[in-house]
DNA sequence: GGGAAATTTCAAAGCGCTTTGACAACCAAC
DNA sequence: GTTGGTTGTCAAAGCGCTTTGAAATTTCCC
């Protein structure tokens, strides 16, 4: 069943039927009703490819999924996708995923943009001075950046959380509890959020005249394995840290295993605050010692970005171009007063 | 730049240019060279929407991502996606994701199929007597099922691992080590793989005249939290099991925490074998006590399914319709002889 | 050199939709 | 009863590609 057949069935022109379907005002309400009824009965569905060709709109948003043989498939990515998905299905959009080697993202993004398969782009895993930003600007296609790019003029549309503020607050809490020896277990060094979180820690420490040693910083993929390794290193330092800031609950998982293995008690010998992306798989409150966290839902961010992108494509009102979400600092049992000096 | 302009530029007809581009034989090699050269210089890219309309092929495969507000976004899903992605990018395919409430998958799948956005479908998370199978059969669109559907005639294209065999073998290993009290920590009861794994355990036990108590079975989402809860229950049983079979390394994570908390030693007081989907996030060899596992790579399965789907769409030779992959049983330190009777 | 066969190219007809510009049909107002 | 403004409907022209069927050109063989 196509439009032509449907219109013949109804004794109307294709124009009228098309207009009735797409909510144009210049159609008699009675006629529209008839058309809608016929659609129900015949199960007519407009051909997407033809719609696309005619309108130039694809009804989909595109994104690049970093993946390579052997590359980590990131839990955080799946969670974000879920948010994006929930929102797009609500608007009858779908999304197109272009897998790409993480080293080749600019090219992948360009391919996706010119493929004509998408109306808008979303990008994540931002780095400092990210080359994708100028590229996106040069494209005439709506986009939203998840995160920001340190070092680039922030004049592009983004949604980010206040990473620096989150880790500043977390650090201050630990300072107030009397801790003086800190360590930071961070994501890969080149990623924007990692830079900002580090800055947050450093500036809070600086207020008390403290610094963060090179030894007390780790930059790695956010896996439990890396968390374990990093923590083991920290614990072997001559003057080992008592306060740990951790960029993910996944890292925390490994870190805590290391703490346990060393026979230390979390929340007493070692205090730890992790950033919580609200992964349903890893609830900080159900850790054996519930985790103090800075919280911001990755899924909610995904949904919001989808909303902005789709709204822009549909020209449904203006959206704020730049959003910075505050995180919540939630205190649980993994933080406690600094242990007495030995 | 479109085809018309390009052909005018070359002084050729659209037909010839189109044929040259698409590798048809009825084009002079010299002409083809000229065309290809012009494409390079002008950066011409055929309009996808028009191609689709003309050919009826979308160049993409579709899948339904189960997601709902509050629903688990599954680590296993992301890993599978990575495999699918690696392969599809290799063939210039992309995939379209339709998010859907897990209770509404049949409808979502149908929407996706008739949306005209995809050439082929992939489905996973199969259940017993899965209603999607008859639905897929009724569609005239290629598809591959990941897993199988217990109770349905296996006359549809699938790729599955030998779940029953894996758990049969794992159980036999534990039996040989002298264990007699078993527990099974499984995925959700309605899922096909869970049914088959359970059968594998039961039939291995039956050979020794043993049975699996209702108490010693848990069916739950495969999260570490559920693993913890299930194991805590097992450990409180009057005659507690010494051998645990576990459907995922994620479940094992929680289970092991419970074992530790109870002051028991893994591989001595309790033996555990988990199924390992080769999640890069959770390597069984880097657990504090390395895990004995049945292994089969989810990512490889994703890649293989993409290969079959794309091959079918492109009519590139026949593929086996049904594949059953064996798993590997890899023995590490989490299994040991049954402890002496008390 | 002529005719048949093979090779190369082309004009035109779709694919199924949207949208433009024109045209009836109707109403109110003078 | 004509004018002017709405309303509702339509025919036809795209959108940019593929593909059919025919025509033009070249090649081959006797």
């Amino acid at each position: 069943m196509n439009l032509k057949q449907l219109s013949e069935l109804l004794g109307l022109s294709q124009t009228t039927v098309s207009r009735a379907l797409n909510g144009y005002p210049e159609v008699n309400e009675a006629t529209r009703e008839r058309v809608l009824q016929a659609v129900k009965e015949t199960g007519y569905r407009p051909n997407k490819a033809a719609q696309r060709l005619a309108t130039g709109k694809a009804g989909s948003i595109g994104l690049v999924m970093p993946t390579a043989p052997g590359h980590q498939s990131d839990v955080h990515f799946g969670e974000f996708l879920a948010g994006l998905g929930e929102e797009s299905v609500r608007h009858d959009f779908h999304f197109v995923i272009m897998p790409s080697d993480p080293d080749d993202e600019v090219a992948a993004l360009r391919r996706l943009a010119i493929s004509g398969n998408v109306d808008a782009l979303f990008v994540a895993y931002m780095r400092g001075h990210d080359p994708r930003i100028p590229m996106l600007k040069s494209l005439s296609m709506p986009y939203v950046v998840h995160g920001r790019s340190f070092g680039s003029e922030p004049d592009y549309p983004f949604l980010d959380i206040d990473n620096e503020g989150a880790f500043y607050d977390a650090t201050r809490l630990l300072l107030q509890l009397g801790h003086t020896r800190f360590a930071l277990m961070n994501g890969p060094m080149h990623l924007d959020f990692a830079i900002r979180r580090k800055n947050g820690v450093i500036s809070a420490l600086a207020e008390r005249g403290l610094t963060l040693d090179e030894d007390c910083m780790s930059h790695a993929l956010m896996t439990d394995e890396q968390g374990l390794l990093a923590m083991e290193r920290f614990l072997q330092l001559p003057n080992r840290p008592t306060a740990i800031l951790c960029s993910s609950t996944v890292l925390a998982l490994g870190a805590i295993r290391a703490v346990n293995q060393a026979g230390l008690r979390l929340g007493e010998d070692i205090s730890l605050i992790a950033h919580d992306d609200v992964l349903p798989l890893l609830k900080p409150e159900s850790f054996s010692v519930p985790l103090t966290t800075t919280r911001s839902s990755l899924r909610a961010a995904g949904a919001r970005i989808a909303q902005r992108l789709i709204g822009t494509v549909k020209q449904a009102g203006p959206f704020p171009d730049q959003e910075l979400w505050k995180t919540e600092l939630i205190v649980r049992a993994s933080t406690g007063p600094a242990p007495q000096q030995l």
Side-chain angles (χ1 to χ4, degrees), chain A residues 135-196:
Chain A
M135 211 280 272
L136 285 164
K137 283 185 187 164
S138 76
L139 256 37
S140 51
M141 180 173 282
Y143 64 92
V144 171
V145 171
H146 185 210
R148 277 174 293 174
S149 176
F150 207 85
S152 305
E153 189 65 24
D155 56 353
Y156 46 87
F158 66 76
L159 170 71
D160 198 5
I161 60 172
D162 183 6
N163 284 302
E164 181 161 351
F167 275 60
Y168 175 86
D169 291 345
T171 306
R172 278 189 48 108
L173 174 64
L174 291 165
L175 284 166
Q176 283 160 9
L177 288 168
H179 292 271
T180 54
R181 297 193 307 280
F182 285 75
L184 169 62
M185 210 174 272
N186 213 342
M189 178 148 45
H190 56 269
L191 293 182
D192 179 83
F193 75 81
I195 302 172
R196 294 185 197 268

Side-chain angles (χ1 to χ4, degrees), chain A residues 18-59:
Chain A
S18 169
R19 294 216 149 127
L21 259 37
N22 294 320
Y24 281 68
E26 53 269 80
V27 153
N28 192 319
E29 264 321 305
T31 311
R32 192 190 304 276
E33 274 311 312
R34 265 184 68 213
V35 172
L36 260 29
Q37 186 58 36
V39 166
K40 231 178 231 163
E41 284 164 11
T42 60
Y44 164 77
R45 306 234 44 188
N47 176 310
K48 278 276 186 192
Q51 260 177 339
R52 271 180 208 199
L53 182 55
T55 60
K57 297 269 163 254

